[in-house]
Amino acid sequence: MIKVFTNCSIFNGETFVGNRAVVTEGNKIKKVVHKSNLVGYDNIIDLKGALLVPGFIDLQVNGGGGAFYTQKASVENYKISNKAHLDFGTTSLLPTLVSTSLDNIVAQCDVVREMMKDPDSGVIGIHVEGPFFNPEKKGAHSLDFVREATDYEIEKIIEAGKGVIKILTCAPEVVKEKHIKMLVAAGIPVSAGHSSCTYEQAMKAFDAGVTKVTHLYNAQSQFTSRAPGLVGAYLDSSDDVYGGIIVDGVHCNYASVRIAHRAKKGKLFLVSDASFVKHPVDNFEIDEFKIFFKDGMYLTETGNLAGSAVSMLDSVQNCFSEANIELAETLKMSSRYPAEFMGIDDEFGYIKKGYRSDFVVLERDTLNLIDVYKSGVKVKIDKVITTE
């Protein structure tokens, strides 16, 4: 069915344009035309002056709607969490596993492979966060599963994750350089995280093929005057290295977001790292590892942060209003830049002819959510459930 979205300010992935209309057919954008050329169309959607922006792309999300990906390898479990994030404008995502057993990683890859067969599922792969971490920087990952990489396990992950694993996060000082090269050669991008590596070790890992840093500033060696650490290495890295950042006002100061943005503009993107959204969970266990919800945060028994409680919509609003990053750049950080990292920016991250008809409609002044369209279809947004 052909639909026409008009009377809006369109962020096309590069800039805002007015007096235009977006014509879609099914899950693709057929064309973007001047609104004076709208002749012969019946299904016209008047957006009443709102903002029309590309659907958000979240490359690190742990769960939502009461479901947690790592806990259960099933299509049903994934659909519950995916829908919770879709209701906040996340039209594409990487379900993310916390450190777990090899058997569970393999089982989860099978689920994701099945979901990826449906181009409208929103699942564009999986992010395997761990288990090859430095125990000192385990964060909310269970020590029962944090371990050093072996040739056997890397080979099994490559076998199970071919075409499915789109990010594997590990600590550069825990994996061998040959393991990084094996993963990259197999088409699995490697991200540095949960690491106490030195600046020099990080730079060596970048040279070996690491192209991303996971949740910048968190669970990694910090920048100091004599030891720049992983944070300093990322800020000093080449344009080949991207970074994800959690902009919830908890994981890092908003000034730190601005500083990172100035250093890595175009290579820094938003991630939610959400444990749950839509249906907050007071407490839960993952492999006997207990997590609690308190004061808007998910925490372990020892007080470590355990993911976030924000959506990508929250992240966009915070990035713009609290970190004071201009709106066009904020929106690039929520869609275009993650699409570029994934190598899918020929189909996602823009509102242009031939791109996916995945849109978020926002109020112009407040950036509050009005509507979400996935594959050109308006999403029926479920009511938010709160814990009181």
Side-chain angles (χ1 to χ4, degrees):
M1 176 187 292
I2 292 178
K3 297 178 183 177
V4 178
F5 297 83
T6 188
N7 191 14
C8 56
S9 179
I10 300 167
F11 181 71
N12 63 11
E14 297 172 348
T15 188
F16 288 95
V17 293
N19 296 318
R20 300 292 190 278
V22 179
V23 181
T24 68
E25 186 169 15
N27 62 11
K28 295 287 187 178
I29 298 172
K30 189 170 183 176
K31 56 185 174 179
V32 180
V33 299
H34 195 280
K35 66 180 184 180
S36 63
N37 294 329
L38 291 179
V39 179
Y41 293 105
D42 296 322
N43 197 2
I44 295 179
I45 300 168
D46 183 353
L47 296 180
K48 300 177 181 178
L51 302 179
L52 184 69
V53 308
F56 305 142
I57 301 173
D58 192 350
L59 303 189
Q60 186 170 1
V61 53
N62 307 299
F68 196 78
Y69 295 115
T70 312
Q71 280 185 316
K72 188 177 181 182
S74 74
V75 170
E76 167 116 12
N77 195 49
Y78 276 58
K79 285 182 176 180
I80 292 169
S81 184
N82 295 355
K83 177 60 167 65
H85 288 276
L86 181 61
D87 286 356
F88 289 106
T90 297
T91 53
S92 301
L93 50 75
L94 291 184
T96 300
L97 303 183
V98 300
S99 295
T100 188
S101 67
L102 177 60
D103 286 345
N104 194 24
I105 292 172
V106 171
Q108 300 279 358
C109 285
D110 289 342
V111 172
V112 170
R113 182 174 284 107
E114 186 65 28
M115 297 202 73
M116 289 176 71
K117 293 177 182 178
D118 177 5
D120 296 334
S121 72
V123 175
I124 52 177
I126 194 169
H127 179 169
V128 178
E129 188 187 2
F132 312 124
F133 289 163
N134 189 319
E136 295 176 356
K137 297 292 185 181
K138 68 180 180 60
H141 292 244
S142 174
L143 278 176
D144 290 343
F145 291 107
V146 171
R147 56 195 184 269
E148 291 188 12
T150 64
D151 291 353
Y152 171 79
E153 196 158 9
I154 293 295
E155 289 167 359
K156 294 299 289 184
I157 286 173
I158 288 172
E159 180 184 342
K162 190 172 184 180
V164 174
I165 299 176
K166 301 300 182 179
I167 301 174
L168 187 143
T169 294
C170 60
E173 72 274 27
V174 171
V175 297
K176 297 176 182 177
E177 185 174 318
K178 73 171 184 177
H179 292 153
I180 294 173
K181 291 182 176 180
M182 286 169 63
L183 290 161
V184 172
I188 297 176
V190 180
S191 183
H194 290 268
S195 168
S196 293
C197 70
T198 64
Y199 170 91
E200 291 76 18
Q201 287 173 318
M203 285 300 193
K204 187 176 180 181
F206 295 154
D207 289 341
V210 170
T211 52
K212 180 181 170 293
V213 171
T214 294
H215 46 49
L216 181 65
Y217 297 119
N218 294 106
Q220 57 199 238
S221 46
Q222 297 299 301
F223 178 90
T224 67
S225 60
R226 294 183 178 85
L230 179 53
V231 172
Y234 170 67
L235 298 178
D236 193 37
S237 64
S238 73
D239 281 346
D240 294 332
V241 183
Y242 285 76
I245 192 165
I246 307 165
V247 186
D248 61 353
V250 175
H251 280 78
C252 58
N253 189 281
Y254 291 122
S256 298
V257 177
R258 286 194 297 275
I259 291 166
H261 175 256
R262 289 193 185 104
K264 295 291 292 184
K265 182 178 179 180
K267 303 297 175 178
L268 183 71
F269 55 77
L270 305 177
V271 294
S272 72
D273 196 28
S275 291
F276 297 101
V277 295
K278 193 60 113 173
H279 187 302
V281 175
D282 287 325
N283 59 79
F284 69 103
E285 292 186 14
I286 174 68
D287 296 313
E288 300 182 356
F289 196 53
K290 295 182 180 179
I291 310 271
F292 301 90
F293 184 70
K294 182 179 180 182
D295 298 329
M297 299 177 287
Y298 284 101
L299 303 169
T300 67
E301 290 179 292
T302 56
N304 288 335
L305 286 168
S308 82
V310 295
S311 66
M312 282 292 283
L313 175 65
D314 298 317
S315 304
V316 166
Q317 293 169 341
N318 290 339
C319 195
F320 174 65
S321 63
E322 302 295 339
N324 296 320
I325 295 175
E326 59 108 2
L327 185 55
E329 182 66 15
T330 292
L331 293 172
K332 290 176 187 177
M333 292 169 70
S334 70
S335 55
R336 172 178 161 180
Y337 298 155
E340 288 175 349
F341 172 77
M342 289 280 291
I344 56 174
D345 52 311
D346 58 344
E347 190 176 5
F348 297 85
Y350 292 84
I351 296 180
K352 291 183 178 181
K353 179 181 177 180
Y355 279 73
R356 296 277 304 195
S357 51
D358 293 347
F359 310 131
V360 181
V361 185
L362 302 173
E363 291 181 358
R364 185 184 293 267
D365 296 327
T366 65
L367 300 185
N368 286 336
L369 186 69
I370 298 175
D371 283 316
V372 180
Y373 287 84
K374 175 62 183 171
S375 302
V377 177
K378 185 175 178 178
V379 174
K380 182 180 179 182
I381 297 176
D382 298 329
K383 181 181 177 182
V384 176
I385 303 173
T386 59
T387 56
E388 295 181 339

